[in-house]
Amino acid sequence: MTSSVASHNSRAATDRSFLFVLGSSRHDSNTKILTQAAAEQLPAGTSQRWVDLAQLPLPDFQDGRHETDTWPAGENEEMLRQATVNATDIVIASPLYWYTLSAHTKRYLDYWSGWLTVPGSDFKERMTGRTLWGVTVMSDRDEAVADGLVTTLNHTAAYMRMRFGGVLFGNGSRPGQVRDDERAAIRAKTFFQREALPARFPYEEVSGQR
């Protein structure tokens, strides 16, 4: 991956391509609402692609990395792989389920394991220097309960040698309730303007960015 991709935060907005991966089981979830609020602040001309995992079913991931037979990729899987490698910024929008990512979202990330070994894909090399972001809405007001979700995303980015932009938090449970979260609305206005630093093990929060 060239240095121009690794330093994409300073590039023109039209050079960035955002993939928004929605992992909620609800069609108009609170997490989707908050993600849309943040995306609306992106400069005009910024490429956006939205994928709703609930509407794009994937079978459970089968790990065949140490087997001789190859697992044939389905149409949905190949579409997701191409969308992932073609984005400079991947936004994981998942509600907090049992203190971590939703099942839809975790399955999507499980497929990254398989893409690492697809012949000729160079998946890890192509992801190097790109940026992973997170958006989550939860019923608890204590953001510390989402540390598991944050750690999962940061460590994923660190393993892939990506940048990590952090997680945008919102509060809500009933449909549309996040709209009442004024703090989340304020954060959403500048979320994608944050400096995304290279992810490291362990996760080190940038002061004032949570």
Side-chain angles (χ1 to χ4, degrees):
M1 186 59 60
T2 64
S3 60
S4 62
V5 173
S7 60
H8 71 270
N9 280 339
S10 61
R11 299 184 310 172
T14 53
D15 290 335
R16 297 177 71 180
S17 176
F18 278 75
L19 173 65
F20 294 91
V21 181
L22 305 177
S24 176
S25 58
R26 292 177 179 172
H27 176 64
D28 291 316
S29 68
N30 283 300
T31 300
K32 179 180 179 180
I33 292 170
L34 183 57
T35 305
Q36 289 174 326
E40 288 172 357
Q41 309 305 315
L42 290 171
T46 304
S47 174
Q48 299 182 30
R49 183 169 185 176
W50 293 74
V51 173
D52 186 345
L53 296 176
Q55 304 301 315
L56 197 76
L58 289 171
D60 288 338
F61 173 68
Q62 296 192 24
D63 189 351
R65 288 174 292 173
H66 304 292
E67 300 176 3
T68 56
D69 295 334
T70 57
W71 179 260
E75 181 178 350
N76 288 347
E77 176 190 347
E78 183 58 21
M79 187 280 285
L80 276 172
R81 186 176 71 86
Q82 291 295 335
T84 301
V85 299
N86 288 331
T88 62
D89 297 75
I90 296 94
V91 184
I92 301 295
S94 170
L96 186 71
Y97 288 160
W98 289 107
Y99 311 106
T100 188
L101 300 166
S102 70
H104 290 309
T105 310
K106 181 57 169 59
R107 183 180 294 113
Y108 164 68
L109 290 179
D110 284 348
Y111 270 83
W112 286 28
S113 299
W115 298 342
L116 288 169
T117 58
V118 173
S121 71
D122 298 324
F123 183 66
K124 190 170 185 177
E125 290 75 12
R126 295 180 69 178
M127 298 301 287
T128 297
R130 306 194 182 200
T131 302
L132 188 67
W133 307 83
V135 181
T136 190
V137 175
M138 53 190 175
S139 59
D140 201 307
R141 295 187 178 276
D142 182 2
E143 294 172 359
V145 302
D147 284 350
L149 180 148
V150 176
T151 299
T152 295
L153 294 181
N154 174 79
H155 285 14
T156 298
Y159 177 77
M160 300 298 290
R161 298 194 295 271
M162 300 174 70
R163 295 172 177 267
F164 183 49
V167 176
L168 173 61
F169 292 95
N171 179 259
S173 180
R174 297 188 305 276
Q177 192 175 16
V178 73
R179 294 189 177 95
D180 298 328
D181 188 343
E182 296 182 1
R183 187 181 184 190
I186 293 172
R187 288 173 167 177
K189 292 183 181 299
T190 59
F191 181 61
F192 291 124
Q193 298 175 21
R194 296 165 51 150
E195 180 182 7
L197 300 175
R200 295 285 185 265
F201 297 113
Y203 175 60
E204 296 183 1
E205 180 182 338
V206 178
S207 178
Q209 285 203 353
R210 182 159 182 166

